[in-house]
Amino acid sequence: MIGGDAAGMSAASQARRMRGPDELEIVAFERGHFTSFSACGIPYWVGGDVGERERLIARTPEEHRARGIDLRMRTEVTEIDVAGQRVRARDVDSGAESWTSYDKLVIATGARPIRPDMPGVDAPGVHGVQTLDDGQALLDTLARTRGRRAVVVGAGYIGVEMAEALINRGYRVTVVNRGSEPMATLDPDMGRLVHTAMEGLGITMVNDAEVTKILTGGDGRVRAVATEDAEYPADVVVLGIGVRPETGLARAAGLPLGTHGGLLTDLAMRVRGHENIWAGGDCVEVLDLVSGQERHIALGTHANKHGQVIGTNAGGGYATFPGVVGTAVSKVCDLEIARTGLREKDARRAGLRYVTVTVESTSRAGYYPGASPMTVKMLAERRTGRLLGVQIVGREGAGKRVDVAAVALTAAMTVDRMTSLDLGYAPPFSPVWDPVLVAARKASKAVAHVP
């Protein structure tokens, strides 16, 4: 196993369940200090919602070793010899190198944060957030920094979640975003709702602006972030620009990569053209069940599922991973943001003709105390009425409603069929017509009126 986080150690653990230690020797390499940790939880640890780093660790190296896995920490694989069925590994601390042979190889190298090549990006006070070490380094900086000005570069999931974390820490936060609106995983009209809500929380949003350099003071520390038109003072900078598949090893070994740079696998998560090599997690591309195209989606939910499939197959069983519909949910303070399926530009790229509808509703019956507003946008294919995508922005009770749409997408349901879904109802939980079903009714009418 190359990689000791979600996909790699899920695969190792599942393979061990399938086969005993006398039947299958499992060796895992991890270059970092931690295994099986929740990277998704780092913003909430930094923001103080999660009190201790250890709460983000699902299983320690010692626990994995107790289950018969030869886990080698602080050991980085530097080369894959496909023909010789072996990997070269280097001890990060000592520099010592050695070769290890394999019968079956699992690549779970994850993704690496995008770190732009610009002046000042490596200055003290500039942080990426990908690992627990990154989170600890940022917390250490926050503890010793006197100023209370923070700039977040990027307004995707990590960007908005880190903006919330820094607000919770008492910082004045500016988010610099090169897109027209935050959350590029949404259509711009829905991203505008996020923009307005973030400004209402005291976050300064700067859209259509690309950071060109990070300015430093006489002490070498960060003092500001610069775009072509302005400078934004900063005592700390967090990079939340996104990630790319970590596939340098795979590329050097001649393994097949897709258009997004991720490894290509079959339904069994086996690397295409290689009978004894599997790959999973953030380093692979996955099939989008709605568009039929390959995508790169870095999410722990997928990584754990990949690991289960890989471990079952490597352990002698049989399992498949059919694909995804692109479901994700996030929040910034009390604003919930969710999406699944295709955006408008995704549908156009896939050559699909579609209709869109947007509805305003509430999380509970309007007369019930605590009902909060939400906006639901729905895409449906013209003529057929097949559901293509849903985006939801609202307060408490909005985000997880996207799961209904995710199931409908997986089942390839039409919006007309969705209107008959037997969803739970009581005034504390929903209006008589759930907001997702209201959108489905409106989309069904729109489809019916399209020639």
Side-chain angles (χ1 to χ4, degrees):
M1 310 288 176
I2 306 176
D5 198 10
M9 298 318 294
S10 290
S13 298
Q14 178 64 8
R16 174 57 71 229
R17 294 186 196 101
M18 299 287 294
R19 303 277 291 277
D22 295 333
E23 300 178 73
L24 185 67
E25 179 185 1
I26 302 175
V27 179
F29 298 97
E30 168 53 45
R31 66 186 177 187
H33 293 95
F34 304 96
T35 59
S36 302
F37 65 90
S38 173
C40 301
I42 293 175
Y44 307 108
W45 168 40
V46 172
D49 295 311
V50 177
E52 300 174 353
R53 179 181 66 190
E54 284 65 31
R55 294 185 63 186
L56 300 181
I57 300 173
R59 192 165 290 173
T60 65
E62 292 74 21
E63 288 172 320
H64 283 301
R65 291 175 184 134
R67 289 168 171 80
I69 298 169
D70 181 1
L71 176 56
R72 303 177 187 181
M73 299 297 296
R74 302 287 291 159
T75 307
E76 181 177 14
V77 173
T78 58
E79 182 181 349
I80 301 171
D81 177 7
V82 174
Q85 293 194 191
R86 58 180 187 162
V87 300
R88 186 205 301 267
R90 178 179 64 88
D91 185 290
V92 173
D93 298 315
S94 71
E97 294 189 335
S98 61
W99 287 94
T100 301
S101 298
Y102 65 82
D103 298 303
K104 303 175 181 182
L105 177 66
V106 177
I107 301 172
T109 44
R112 66 182 183 280
I114 297 172
R115 198 171 183 90
D117 184 14
M118 69 173 72
V121 74
D122 295 321
V126 180
H127 293 268
V129 184
Q130 178 77 2
T131 67
L132 293 185
D133 286 330
D134 295 336
Q136 187 63 62
L138 175 56
L139 280 171
D140 292 344
T141 292
L142 298 179
R144 62 175 177 260
T145 298
R146 294 182 180 179
R148 311 302 290 177
R149 301 167 302 179
V151 172
V152 177
V153 182
Y157 292 110
I158 292 297
V160 300
E161 289 169 0
M162 289 310 304
E164 174 186 357
L166 293 165
I167 283 284
N168 289 345
R169 289 286 179 181
Y171 278 73
R172 301 192 301 276
V173 178
T174 299
V175 177
V176 181
N177 172 39
R178 68 179 182 180
S180 61
E181 297 292 352
M183 297 300 293
T185 53
L186 305 176
D187 288 322
D189 55 336
M190 296 295 283
R192 181 68 190 177
L193 300 176
V194 179
H195 178 168
T196 301
M198 290 178 70
E199 289 191 329
L201 295 167
I203 298 168
T204 301
M205 287 298 308
V206 182
N207 292 317
D208 293 314
E210 187 156 3
V211 174
T212 56
K213 58 184 173 180
I214 295 174
L215 306 176
T216 56
D219 59 357
R221 290 186 53 79
V222 61
R223 67 171 180 83
V225 165
T227 67
E228 290 185 356
D229 303 317
E231 293 182 7
Y232 302 94
D235 301 298
V236 62
V237 172
V238 176
L239 303 176
I241 306 173
V243 298
R244 293 193 181 99
E246 182 67 274
T247 49
L249 274 175
R251 184 185 301 275
L255 299 177
L257 304 181
T259 56
H260 303 284
L263 276 156
L264 296 176
T265 66
D266 61 18
L267 289 175
M269 302 307 299
R270 184 180 284 106
V271 173
R272 295 179 190 176
H274 295 270
E275 191 67 23
N276 63 340
I277 303 178
W278 288 264
D282 295 352
C283 66
V284 305
E285 297 187 13
V286 293
L287 176 64
D288 186 312
L289 297 174
V290 186
S291 69
Q293 300 174 341
E294 301 287 341
R295 297 178 61 186
H296 177 247
I297 303 177
L299 284 176
T301 52
H302 302 160
N304 279 284
K305 292 170 187 172
H306 295 168
Q308 289 289 306
V309 170
I310 292 169
T312 297
N313 292 324
Y318 178 72
T320 61
F321 183 81
V324 303
V325 294
T327 307
V329 64
S330 186
K331 79 178 187 75
V332 53
C333 295
D334 66 341
L335 182 73
E336 299 182 4
I337 308 158
R339 54 96 65 204
T340 189
L342 307 182
R343 300 164 295 181
E344 289 194 49
K345 68 178 182 180
D346 300 325
R348 290 193 296 268
R349 188 182 299 121
L352 296 169
R353 301 178 68 194
Y354 60 91
V355 299
T356 70
V357 299
T358 302
V359 302
E360 305 288 339
S361 187
T362 57
S363 59
R364 303 172 180 175
Y367 57 81
Y368 193 87
S372 59
M374 75 175 69
T375 303
V376 180
K377 180 175 181 177
M378 185 170 287
L379 280 71
E381 188 174 18
R382 294 181 67 173
R383 297 184 65 183
T384 69
R386 177 171 66 108
L387 178 67
L388 295 179
V390 172
Q391 299 163 39
I392 304 174
V393 176
R395 306 292 171 174
E396 182 182 3
K400 286 295 283 180
R401 273 185 162 85
V402 79
D403 289 342
V404 172
V407 173
L409 282 167
T410 304
M413 294 181 71
T414 65
V415 289
D416 183 63
R417 179 71 184 278
M418 284 182 68
T419 62
S420 299
L421 287 174
D422 186 12
L423 303 185
Y425 161 70
F429 304 106
S430 171
V432 172
W433 280 90
D434 188 88
V436 173
L437 298 191
V438 173
R441 288 180 66 187
K442 190 173 181 180
S444 180
K445 292 177 182 177
V447 168
H449 286 90
V450 172

